[in-house]
Amino acid sequence: MSTRTLGLDDRLYGYLLAANGRETPIQARLRHDTHDIPGAGMQISPELGQFLGLVVRMIGARLCLEVGTFTGYSTLSVALALPADGHIVACDINEHTTALAQSYWAEAGVASKIHLRIAPALNTLDLLIADHDAGGFDFAFIDADKSNYDAYYERCLTLLRPGGVIAIDNVLWSGKVADEHVQDEDTVALRHLNAKIAQDGRVDSCLVPIGDGLTLARKR
Ligand code: CA
């Protein structure tokens, strides 16, 4: 028995996927249809989608934020977990990938829960703060350009209610955060944010080794 997190070889990862087994047919099709799209590696893994949906249900989230939508798998996973009167504000700058996303959201019957904002996410988040929506959101998922992660984190923290949760993707960055020889802008930004959140008295947090690494931060 291991006292540390297991490494997942292909066989064990396949078992994990099968054991989770709650991906809907539309989610599976969206995931497969994204394989041929430039940037397909940005799509979250199915177990992460299932995990995000579970967190949304666990905290009883109704109002959610997403920074970085791509083809909409994470958005769909969250929207499927929301109650009928729940909403997610999805921020992205790409009209083409989000057009594909919207077709799947419609097919899944959750399009009315998703408010897509095509604009730089910082602008959208600042508008929400200016509209006095601060403190009104329950959940935020951050999965966009890494150099802005800290700015996204700060704004999402402002927009969340106490007890709300921020989920931040790619915080292990294929292992590069632990390699001191890697000093590119994205890796350094992730390293700084990981260190900051670990000491941030405004949240309780845990870095979870799911997908490319996910930090959960709960606002105090
Ligand atoms: Ca990601």
Side-chain angles (χ1 to χ4, degrees):
M1 195 171 77
S2 176
T3 56
R4 52 170 281 176
T5 302
L6 288 174
L8 299 180
D9 59 19
D10 287 350
R11 186 175 68 174
L12 188 53
Y13 181 62
Y15 177 86
L16 179 149
L17 291 180
N20 272 335
R22 291 180 180 269
E23 187 178 51
T24 66
I26 293 175
Q27 284 175 294
R29 193 146 39 79
L30 169 53
R31 195 157 53 80
H32 288 120
D33 291 350
T34 299
H35 282 168
D36 298 329
I37 290 178
M42 293 195 295
Q43 177 161 251
I44 65 165
S45 54
E47 71 274 21
L48 179 52
Q50 186 168 329
F51 185 73
L52 296 176
L54 181 62
V55 171
V56 163
R57 290 183 196 273
M58 285 168 69
I59 66 171
R62 283 182 58 252
L63 295 178
C64 301
L65 291 164
E66 177 178 76
V67 180
T69 294
F70 190 45
T71 57
Y73 187 92
S74 50
T75 336
L76 179 56
S77 300
V78 168
L80 287 169
L82 286 172
D85 63 345
H87 293 288
I88 177 169
V89 177
C91 306
D92 206 288
I93 52 173
N94 191 318
E95 292 182 5
H96 301 290
T97 54
T98 53
L100 180 66
Q102 286 174 288
S103 68
Y104 288 90
W105 300 341
E107 191 182 345
V110 296
S112 64
K113 293 182 183 178
I114 301 170
H115 300 172
L116 178 64
R117 306 284 178 88
I118 300 291
L122 290 178
N123 295 0
T124 298
L125 297 173
D126 284 339
L127 280 173
L128 290 171
I129 292 169
D131 286 346
H132 307 291
D133 288 329
F137 285 85
D138 304 298
F139 176 80
F141 179 51
I142 299 173
D143 186 14
D145 50 311
K146 309 313 172 200
S147 57
N148 274 319
Y149 256 33
D150 186 43
Y152 297 143
Y153 171 72
E154 287 296 331
R155 283 159 178 78
C156 287
L157 200 55
T158 298
L159 286 163
L160 245 59
R161 64 166 166 87
V165 170
I166 306 177
I168 308 168
D169 195 29
N170 302 108
V171 293
L172 292 179
W173 206 223
S174 303
K176 286 187 275 188
V177 287
D179 183 348
E180 63 184 21
H181 299 295
V182 182
Q183 294 292 341
D184 64 86
E185 184 184 7
D186 289 349
T187 305
V188 170
L190 285 164
R191 220 176 258 145
H192 283 157
L193 182 60
N194 288 343
K196 170 178 162 171
I197 292 175
Q199 301 295 326
D200 192 342
R202 299 171 296 175
V203 298
D204 299 296
S205 68
C206 186
L207 197 168
V208 184
I210 182 172
D212 194 27
L214 183 81
T215 288
L216 289 182
R218 177 188 182 274
K219 184 174 178 177
R220 288 179 174 167

